[in-house]
Amino acid sequence: MNRQTVWLKGDTRNHQGHFVPQSEYTLIDADQNGWALICVDNARCYYVDPEALRFEAG
């Protein structure tokens, strides 16, 4: 999968039910369980529902 910049829809939660901060993320991969892995940097990554991703800023 090509890595691309993504943003989140409001009130997005991760796979553990915690809110994910609004920021610009890099989409790393989508796993077989239906979660998308997004990262801000090497230390801050989240699994989120792919339906919560936006592919354009704004």
Side-chain angles (χ1 to χ4, degrees):
M1 174 179 281
N2 292 333
R3 294 183 181 192
Q4 61 189 111
T5 301
V6 295
W7 293 265
L8 298 174
K9 295 178 181 175
D11 296 332
T12 297
R13 294 176 184 256
N14 67 8
H15 69 293
Q16 296 175 328
H18 302 283
F19 286 107
V20 178
Q22 290 293 320
S23 185
E24 183 176 294
Y25 292 92
T26 301
L27 175 61
I28 304 299
D29 199 8
D31 72 16
Q32 62 192 20
N33 295 321
W35 293 102
L37 177 61
I38 58 172
C39 296
V40 174
D41 54 34
N42 289 338
R44 293 179 293 165
C45 294
Y46 305 94
Y47 280 104
V48 298
D49 182 344
E51 294 292 319
L53 301 179
R54 291 186 302 120
F55 292 90
E56 295 180 6

